[in-house]
């Protein structure tokens, strides 16, 4: 999620209250993927203050088998300015990994320039193994696509490659 710029400039108190009222882990970054805000649910789950999630901080909480591809697909989404979706394991403060569907959408300024990314972590069903999905086998899903179009999606086909498919 990139480097830290100004942790206290975003969001307003009202926006912060709203994101903390929603029972999901939420975050925002600037156009380059630098974390600007994490709601309290994400901070509590990770067990780290927001300052610990900036720069390389968040990536340290990804499962080692998921991190490399997560980084690649996140970078591709940033470069393309396209919607981002990942199903991956995230390490919690209790020392266990849980599956999350992580979604992020780009937000543009009035002049059409990419301004921010808003993201959410949706908890998946729990499992007893860090190697398995809620369905009993390891096959995390990664994709990015253009909103409201039939553009190609990128799906994780195996542990070591990304392959295109249609939306």
């Amino acid at each position: 999620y990139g480097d830290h710029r100004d942790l206290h400039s975003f969001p307003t108190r009202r926006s912060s209250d709203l994101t903390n009222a929603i029972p999901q882990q939420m975050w925002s970054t600037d156009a380059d993927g630098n974390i600007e805000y994490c709601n309290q649910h994400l901070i509590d789950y990770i067990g780290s203050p927001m300052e610990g999630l900036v720069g390389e901080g968040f990536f340290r909480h990804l499962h080692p088998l998921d991190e490399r591809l997560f980084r690649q697909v996140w970078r591709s989404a940033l470069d393309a300015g396209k919607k981002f979706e990942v199903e991956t394991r995230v390490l919690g403060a209790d020392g266990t990994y849980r599956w999350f569907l992580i979604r992020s959408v780009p937000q543009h300024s009035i002049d059409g320039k990419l301004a921010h990314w808003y993201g959410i972590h949706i908890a998946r069903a729990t499992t007893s193994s860090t190697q398995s999905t809620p369905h009993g086998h390891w096959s995390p899903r990664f994709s990015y696509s253009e909103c409201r179009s039939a553009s190609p999606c990128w799906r994780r086909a195996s542990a070591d490659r990304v392959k295109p498919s249609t939306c």
Side-chain angles (χ1 to χ4, degrees), residues 27-40:
W27 50 269
S28 70
T29 72
D30 66 13
D32 297 323
N34 303 306
I35 288 184
E36 295 179 317
Y37 171 77
C38 297
N39 75 346
Q40 194 63 45

Side-chain angles (χ1 to χ4, degrees), residues 7 25-26 35 37-61 90-95:
L7 296 174
Q25 298 172 10
M26 301 172 73
I35 288 184
Y37 171 77
C38 297
N39 75 346
Q40 194 63 45
H41 298 293
L42 179 56
I43 291 167
D44 291 345
Y45 175 76
I46 298 289
S48 172
M50 191 167 71
E51 292 82 1
L53 298 176
V54 299
E56 294 293 303
F58 176 77
F59 296 109
R60 289 190 293 268
H61 294 276
V90 179
L91 181 63
D94 65 358

Side-chain angles (χ1 to χ4, degrees), residues 97-118:
Y97 288 94
R98 285 191 63 196
W99 283 97
F100 288 90
L101 178 62
I102 300 175
R103 290 183 173 164
S104 181
V105 293
Q107 302 296 307
H108 296 85
S109 61
I110 293 172
D111 62 1
K113 292 182 182 177
L114 184 59
H116 297 280
W117 291 83
Y118 297 118

